[in-house]
Amino acid sequence: MRWKDKRVHVLDFEGAPRTGVIEYGVVTLHEGSLESTGTRLCGAREELKIEDMRVHGIEEEMIADEEPFENDWDQFSYIRSTGLMAAHHASVENNLLKGTWPYPRLTDSHRQFGWGPWIDTRRVYAKLYKGLESYSLGSLIDTFALVDRLGEWAKQHCPPGRGKAHCALYDALAAALLLVRLDEMPELSDTTIDWLLEVSAPDQRRRDDLRQGDLFSG
């Protein structure tokens, strides 16, 4: 099955294990196109550190009255049950989800994989384009001339003041754009779900698990 034939939810979180998720961005792709976006600021478990605020630009007063990320259980269970999950350097998002809810709501086709399996755009691009100086999100957007398109998406979808790097929805849009680009390349347009998941798996044991059975029946 081609990846674009399945709904893909691209996630990005700002936060840390100590504070929990303090901002999330979700971009849903379907048939290779942007279908919907969602984002919000979340209350922190502990006081933010100055060095963290310098990175993501979120200050204490911005989230003082926000509900915690833990309140969004139903939304993220729904996201996981309705399509694939993707992120750039997906272990970060996976660990923050697990640090909030160790296990997602059980479904027949996904329960054995916790919050995964994930499509990791960093690993995908490292496999496809060996030898680049950097596989950071910003570097890949620059390398593949996607800056202007990302800027257009950000103007349409990001909240005021949050349309830049290290803002959750902006970074989720950037990772989503890397996937959309694959569909636009003739030699990559038939990329399959199985290939993306195998390349994205962090170790050989995980790759072996992904080969067992039909992951997306029904």
Side-chain angles (χ1 to χ4, degrees), residues 11-24:
L11 277 59
D12 186 84
F13 296 148
E14 297 300 323
R18 183 181 61 84
T19 63
V21 173
I22 59 172
E23 184 184 39
Y24 66 74

Side-chain angles (χ1 to χ4, degrees), residues 124-157:
V124 169
Y125 271 73
K127 179 69 173 181
L128 290 172
Y129 302 98
K130 299 182 185 300
L132 298 183
E133 289 187 7
S134 172
Y135 294 93
S136 71
L137 194 50
S139 293
L140 291 175
I141 292 296
D142 286 339
T143 297
F144 295 100
L146 299 172
V147 174
D148 290 343
R149 290 181 65 184
L150 178 56
E152 292 173 3
W153 279 13
K155 287 179 181 178
Q156 295 175 35
H157 300 283

Side-chain angles (χ1 to χ4, degrees), residues 20 32 35 37 42 44 57-58 69 77 83 119 125 127 137 152 161 166 172 177 193:
E35 181 177 78
T37 64
C42 307
I58 300 171
F69 180 64
S77 292
I119 295 173
Y125 271 73
K127 179 69 173 181
L137 194 50
E152 292 173 3
H166 303 298
L177 193 53
I193 291 171

Side-chain angles (χ1 to χ4, degrees), residues 14 22-23 41-44 46-66 161-162 164 166:
E14 297 300 323
I22 59 172
E23 184 184 39
L41 295 170
C42 307
E46 297 184 20
E47 185 176 348
L48 303 181
K49 292 183 178 181
I50 293 176
E51 55 266 33
D52 296 329
M53 291 188 280
R54 286 174 178 164
V55 173
H56 50 56
I58 300 171
E59 300 179 355
E60 289 283 352
E61 57 268 26
M62 294 170 62
I63 59 173
D65 298 324
E66 299 291 343
R162 301 301 293 165
K164 56 187 176 182
H166 303 298

Side-chain angles (χ1 to χ4, degrees), residues 168-185:
L169 184 54
Y170 183 90
D171 287 354
L173 286 167
L177 193 53
L178 292 177
L179 280 178
V180 169
R181 177 185 171 274
L182 298 184
D183 184 52
E184 296 172 346
M185 304 294 291

Side-chain angles (χ1 to χ4, degrees), residues 26-91:
V26 181
V27 177
T28 298
L29 301 175
H30 191 217
E31 297 180 351
S33 299
L34 193 156
E35 181 177 78
S36 64
T37 64
T39 186
R40 83 171 181 91
L41 295 170
C42 307
R45 296 172 185 163
E46 297 184 20
E47 185 176 348
L48 303 181
K49 292 183 178 181
I50 293 176
E51 55 266 33
D52 296 329
M53 291 188 280
R54 286 174 178 164
V55 173
H56 50 56
I58 300 171
E59 300 179 355
E60 289 283 352
E61 57 268 26
M62 294 170 62
I63 59 173
D65 298 324
E66 299 291 343
E67 295 292 327
F69 180 64
E70 284 81 354
N71 288 14
D72 288 1
W73 159 255
D74 285 336
Q75 178 179 352
F76 280 86
S77 292
Y78 175 79
I79 284 171
R80 183 178 178 279
S81 69
T82 57
L84 294 163
M85 296 173 70
H88 196 77
H89 210 318
S91 62

